Amino acid sequence: MALLGFPNLSVNKITRTVGKKPQTVFFLIFILLIMGIIASRLAFLQLLEGSNYRKRAEANRVRTILKQPERGNIFDRNGKLLATTRYPHSVYVWPMAHTRPTWSKVGPLLSQILKIPQKEIEEVLQENGYNVETLVRIARNLNLEQITALKEYENELQDVEIHAEAVRYYPHGKDIAHVIGYTRELTAEQLAKKKKDGYRLGDVIGQQGIEKTYEKILRGEWGGQQVEVDYRGRPIRVLGEKQAKSGRNIKLTLNLDIQRSADKALNGYNGAIVVMNPTNGAILALVSHPTFEPNIFSEQRPSPKALQNILSGKSHPLVNRALSSFPPASTFKIVTTVAALESGKFSPKTILQTYPSLTIDGTNFREWNRMGFGAIGFSKAIAMSSDTFFYQIAQIIGGQTLIDWARNFGFGKPTGIDLSGESKGLVPDKYWKRRKWKMSWTVGDSINISIGQGALLTTPLQVAVMFSVPANGGNIVQPHLIDINNKVTNHYQEIKMKRTTLKILQDSLRMVITEGTGKGLNRPTVPPIAGKSGTAEAWKGKVKQNHAWFGAYAPADKPEIVVVAFAEHAGGSGSNVAGPMILQIMEDYFRQKLPGKDKSLLETSDNS
């Protein structure tokens, strides 16, 4: 019987040979076993794994080049560009290049041209994985010298490509950083959460401000090309393409000119300014100092020193102080006045004697001028910002009434503005004090709240909402920079108070400007203003450095703008420090509204 594939070799012949030449028999059996293994392996590869290997071969011949979507632009209310996209050149590498023998030449040459340590390049490739079928960016914002060098060494730099890439650009930089925010490449932690949404390593994402809030609208959708490549990985032809879908443009309620005016008005102080339409909550300007340069985050390799100043600076430039909480000082006397008149325990005609100081439960509470203002009513008390007048109010109406009205005005909760990181502030009560200090509420706590001190904390934005109540006739508005349909809509909630209470409040705030602590704003260069100053006791280390506040609206009889200025640790009073900021912004705002022939008259008044 002949063996398969060997007609001249039979079992009988092998058997007869066993005794004579056993080594030959074993050799023949070994050959048969090897050939059987090879045959079975070929059958396995061709019949069972053939389709998989064909796919791998195709993957080596066909590659995917992803196309990044263009991020939507951001405009101010007048169509001025606030955030856009530019197209610098970036260098990409196929990750498999690192596993090839040529990398010993490609890696050092790339490192030399780009001035990036080779180890960092390799770490980026490793993070993406060597089997990934897309290009990996290793550097962006190439200068002309780098582009020239990469093209000059093109033959040596296998698997390296240069492409124009969309990069976020903020033409007004620091002036608007806390509103617009910035974009930056995803961190590893962010990528783990965002992979399900189609994000990839190297993607940028909104990290703060409008960029973060409206990331889904601004981002767009990735596209890409399938290309056939030669043995060196160079594209031969495009096999298919999906166009990238650009993100949507959005228009803010912000007015860039007023934003710049507010930025200038802060005059080097740390603090914040909020400018808002009191009838619908539309934000016209929102400034926070210190600020930062958002374009730094668009760089592939930001300056370590610049990043250190932003991320670890003692002044915390990334913190939006317009959304951070501080004691509101005497601006809060607006709430105390409403609480008193609405309690039924006081009338619009109430007159109280004021004093240099009052001793209550063994504690001496002083008047700010150390003299008092004689016998006065509510309007005069607000105009002159009397403390002892409101101490007496607090004693009679009690802390809970003040607390309830503080919450009615929106304090103690976020305003709902479309920016992240908003503080809700703090309206302390007896439960908070028990948890925090394990102490009971006292009349002294009520007195401190009545003048906006103690543990009470509010944000400049919340204070702007408070000033909008007398400005618009009694409504809490929701501040906003945009709504989802790019339309400014009214968001408000009515505060139920007597018309007489509202009238007293409005008249009192006007008297602040005509006769009281805000007389510096009583100028012919602006329409009639109503407002209130505030000076909060604060310590910076062991040095007393007060916070300065001023809030105002105009025109007083038909308000269209509310401005709140806050200077952190300014050292001076609200009238002297924050008041001039309000005046400057009001002048700039109303100057914009005047016809051309009248602007010259206004400028003449400014210089007189």
Side-chain angles (χ1 to χ4, degrees):
M1 182 176 62
L3 292 177
L4 180 63
F6 296 90
N8 298 321
L9 186 62
S10 67
V11 177
N12 293 331
K13 288 184 178 181
I14 292 175
T15 305
R16 290 197 299 270
T17 312
V18 171
K20 299 177 180 179
K21 297 181 179 178
Q23 63 272 27
T24 303
V25 175
F26 293 138
F27 177 71
L28 290 173
I29 292 172
F30 176 75
I31 291 174
L32 291 173
L33 289 173
I34 293 298
M35 293 188 68
I37 292 171
I38 293 173
S40 62
R41 180 60 177 168
L42 288 173
F44 173 78
L45 294 175
Q46 291 181 4
L47 299 177
L48 299 179
E49 290 292 318
S51 60
N52 291 335
Y53 282 100
R54 279 192 295 273
K55 288 179 182 178
R56 292 189 186 183
E58 186 70 13
N60 288 331
R61 185 180 69 84
V62 178
R63 292 183 181 174
T64 302
I65 298 176
L66 295 175
K67 187 175 182 181
Q68 185 182 16
E70 182 175 331
R71 199 170 177 86
N73 295 324
I74 303 174
F75 299 91
D76 86 335
R77 68 190 302 117
N78 298 313
K80 294 180 180 178
L81 192 62
L82 306 179
T84 187
T85 301
R86 59 189 182 88
Y87 294 90
H89 287 83
S90 298
V91 60
Y92 291 79
V93 175
W94 291 106
M96 62 188 72
H98 185 205
T99 63
R100 295 175 179 171
T102 54
W103 183 253
S104 60
K105 294 181 180 179
V106 173
L109 184 55
L110 263 182
S111 175
Q112 181 181 348
I113 293 173
L114 300 175
K115 296 180 173 57
I116 300 175
Q118 184 176 339
K119 183 179 179 181
E120 288 188 18
I121 298 174
E122 292 171 356
E123 286 175 353
V124 173
L125 296 175
Q126 288 168 359
E127 286 177 6
N128 281 270
Y130 300 126
N131 295 322
V132 70
E133 296 176 5
T134 58
L135 289 162
V136 174
R137 182 184 62 234
I138 59 170
R140 59 156 61 116
N141 290 327
L142 302 180
N143 57 41
L144 183 59
E145 181 183 353
Q146 290 171 325
I147 294 172
T148 302
L150 288 168
K151 289 184 176 179
E152 182 179 347
Y153 290 98
E154 186 176 13
N155 292 331
E156 287 87 348
L157 293 172
Q158 295 183 28
D159 300 305
V160 177
E161 298 181 19
I162 302 173
H163 294 284
E165 181 187 32
V167 173
R168 204 58 163 163
Y169 176 62
Y170 306 100
H172 304 289
K174 294 181 176 182
D175 291 352
I176 206 163
H178 287 96
V179 174
I180 303 299
Y182 63 94
T183 61
R184 194 180 184 187
E185 285 190 13
L186 288 147
T187 63
E189 292 78 13
Q190 288 174 326
L191 180 60
K193 296 177 182 178
K194 291 288 185 179
K195 264 189 176 180
K196 64 180 184 300
D197 297 323
Y199 286 85
R200 302 169 177 83
L201 190 67
D203 272 5
V204 298
I205 189 172
Q207 301 279 2
Q208 195 182 52
I210 290 295
E211 292 278 26
K212 180 177 181 179
T213 303
Y214 295 104
E215 166 69 16
K216 289 183 179 179
I217 291 176
L218 292 165
R219 182 184 180 226
E221 296 179 9
W222 280 78
Q225 291 180 332
Q226 275 195 325
V227 297
E228 183 180 1
V229 296
D230 60 19
Y231 73 98
R232 297 179 64 185
R234 304 297 174 87
I236 300 174
R237 62 192 176 100
V238 176
L239 301 176
E241 182 171 6
K242 176 189 175 184
Q243 292 294 331
K245 184 179 179 181
S246 298
R248 284 170 51 189
N249 296 337
I250 58 177
K251 180 182 282 189
L252 305 184
T253 61
L254 211 72
N255 183 316
L256 180 59
D257 294 331
I258 300 303
Q259 177 79 11
R260 285 173 166 168
S261 174
D263 185 78
K264 183 179 179 181
L266 259 177
N267 195 29
Y269 286 103
N270 288 353
I273 290 179
V274 178
V275 184
M276 187 171 73
N277 183 327
T279 63
N280 61 20
I283 297 295
L284 304 178
L286 193 147
V287 173
S288 175
H289 275 188
T291 185
F292 62 94
E293 175 52 69
N295 287 304
I296 287 176
F297 295 102
S298 296
E299 300 174 11
Q300 173 79 2
R301 293 169 56 79
S303 160
K305 184 177 180 181
L307 278 181
Q308 181 71 13
N309 290 338
I310 291 175
L311 299 175
S312 304
K314 292 181 179 179
S315 57
H316 307 292
L318 284 179
V319 172
N320 190 340
R321 282 163 169 77
L323 308 182
S324 302
S325 51
F326 307 89
S330 290
T331 63
F332 189 78
K333 290 171 182 174
I334 290 174
V335 176
T336 306
T337 296
V338 174
L341 293 171
E342 290 297 307
S343 71
K345 298 178 180 179
F346 296 91
S347 78
K349 296 181 179 180
T350 293
I351 301 294
L352 296 176
Q353 181 67 39
T354 60
Y355 306 92
S357 66
L358 285 174
T359 301
I360 302 170
D361 283 354
T363 302
N364 186 255
F365 294 91
R366 294 182 297 183
E367 181 64 74
W368 69 266
N369 69 351
R370 306 295 194 271
M371 294 182 294
F373 300 94
I376 58 177
F378 278 101
S379 292
K380 189 74 170 180
I382 288 182
M384 304 312 298
S385 200
S386 170
D387 291 329
T388 55
F389 182 94
F390 289 100
Y391 294 159
Q392 297 171 74
I393 296 289
Q395 278 185 287
I396 295 172
I397 66 174
Q400 192 57 51
T401 301
L402 285 169
I403 290 165
D404 291 343
W405 275 99
R407 291 171 177 159
N408 287 343
F409 271 79
F411 295 123
K413 62 183 179 181
T415 67
I417 190 173
D418 39 354
L419 292 175
S420 61
E422 181 184 13
S423 169
K424 66 180 182 179
L426 174 64
V427 178
D429 57 22
K430 60 183 180 181
Y431 304 106
W432 172 85
K433 190 176 181 184
R434 175 65 64 185
R435 288 194 309 270
K436 181 72 175 178
W437 301 109
K438 294 180 174 53
M439 298 172 66
S440 299
W441 190 266
T442 67
V443 66
D445 296 317
S446 302
I447 285 171
N448 280 330
I449 284 184
S450 73
I451 62 167
Q453 294 278 179
L456 181 68
L457 297 174
T458 66
T459 71
L461 185 60
Q462 289 174 328
V463 173
V465 171
M466 177 184 71
F467 274 96
S468 292
V469 172
N472 64 33
N475 297 316
I476 292 288
V477 293
Q478 180 180 331
H480 59 280
L481 286 151
I482 186 180
D483 71 10
I484 202 69
N485 296 314
N486 283 343
K487 295 179 182 177
V488 177
T489 55
N490 293 327
H491 305 276
Y492 61 85
Q493 177 182 347
E494 182 182 2
I495 291 184
K496 294 181 179 180
M497 68 175 81
K498 296 188 286 285
R499 303 313 295 176
T500 52
T501 298
L502 183 62
K503 184 69 165 59
I504 285 287
L505 191 58
Q506 292 169 335
D507 291 345
S508 301
L509 295 175
R510 177 64 184 142
M511 190 183 290
V512 170
I513 308 301
T514 58
E515 302 179 24
T517 59
K519 285 191 292 185
L521 279 73
N522 195 25
R523 299 287 185 89
T525 55
V526 291
I529 296 174
K532 181 72 188 78
S533 61
T535 306
E537 287 191 354
W539 296 79
K540 194 172 184 179
K542 296 182 179 180
V543 180
K544 186 177 181 181
Q545 286 188 295
N546 294 339
H547 302 318
W549 289 89
F550 210 109
Y553 57 84
D557 58 341
K558 194 175 181 180
E560 59 186 71
I561 182 176
V562 162
V563 184
V564 168
F566 166 73
E568 182 182 8
H569 294 301
S573 69
S575 299
N576 295 334
V577 176
M581 298 178 187
I582 300 287
L583 180 62
Q584 180 178 331
I585 295 165
M586 292 282 194
E587 287 177 338
D588 288 345
Y589 174 82
F590 287 105
R591 183 184 287 113
Q592 287 184 24
K593 296 177 64 64
L594 289 172
K597 64 179 181 180
D598 293 332
K599 287 185 180 180
S600 60
L601 297 176
L602 188 57
E603 288 164 0
T604 301
S605 297
D606 283 340
N607 295 329
S608 62

